[in-house]
Amino acid sequence: MARRSPHDSEVSDDDPERQALRSAAELLARVLDSAIAIPGTQIRIGLDPLFGLVPGIGDAFASAVGSVILLIAARLRVPKIVLVRMGMNLLINGVVGMIPFAGDAFSVWFQSNRLNARLLAECAGPATARSTAGDWLAVGAVLLVCLSTVIGAMVLVLWLAGRIGQLIQ
């Protein structure tokens, strides 16, 4: 394989940095969604549903950690529409995850981080150009919307829990 000069407009898909970023995204997805096998079943869980067991902040923290895969995808120049889809996966997982216990079961089933790592692997071909400010602005907007929605849902759940607690007393 011929070596490319730093001035060539394309970078080989064999680029070690790109491979390392894809590997890091796959590892993070595995840790968050499927690192632990439940004995006697074919079910695997990761840290994401376990974080979700922490009332109030667990799902927001899991979404923030999962957003690292989205940042890697942006760095690898995944198309913006795929970045939006990845953000929606995070958003769905984070908002549904706010529902006590049922949301954690949903996280085990949905595995948003594995979905995002798969999207990244399918769409992160050879780089053709550097990331632009517009690319990073789009990613920032997706992350802001996703994390704001998850935090808003968290505040709503906590407020509802407080109201229910007042009614019970």
Side-chain angles (χ1 to χ4, degrees):
M1 181 173 174
R3 300 196 101 182
R4 294 186 180 271
S5 78
H7 302 292
D8 288 345
S9 63
E10 291 188 19
V11 176
S12 168
D13 198 33
D14 295 331
D15 178 35
E17 181 183 1
R18 293 179 65 77
Q19 288 177 350
L21 287 170
R22 285 194 303 263
S23 294
E26 290 170 15
L27 176 63
L28 182 58
R30 195 171 329 128
V31 168
L32 288 172
D33 287 339
S34 62
I36 305 162
I38 297 177
T41 72
Q42 293 183 1
I43 299 171
R44 300 187 68 84
I45 65 169
L47 295 178
D48 184 343
L50 297 177
F51 288 149
L53 293 173
V54 178
I57 60 167
D59 290 295
F61 180 72
S63 293
V65 173
S67 68
V68 170
I69 296 170
L70 186 65
L71 293 171
I72 291 171
R75 179 138 184 217
L76 292 175
R77 303 273 302 150
V78 167
K80 289 177 188 165
I81 191 68
V82 177
L83 295 175
V84 170
R85 183 173 172 196
M86 293 171 76
M88 290 303 297
N89 288 339
L90 280 173
L91 180 64
I92 291 166
N93 190 57
V95 171
V96 175
M98 294 287 169
I99 303 168
F101 303 109
D104 301 314
F106 177 79
S107 288
V108 170
W109 172 78
F110 189 58
Q111 297 190 347
S112 64
N113 301 295
R114 288 190 57 169
L115 287 173
N116 286 348
R118 190 174 308 125
L119 284 169
L120 186 150
E122 291 170 2
C123 298
T128 56
R130 290 194 177 279
S131 297
T132 65
D135 293 335
W136 288 107
L137 185 61
V139 171
V142 168
L143 283 175
L144 182 64
V145 168
C146 292
L147 292 177
S148 297
T149 304
V150 169
I151 290 169
M154 177 182 68
V155 168
L156 178 63
V157 166
L158 292 173
W159 179 80
L160 286 172
R163 295 292 296 168
I164 291 170
Q166 288 176 348
L167 291 173
I168 292 173
Q169 292 178 353

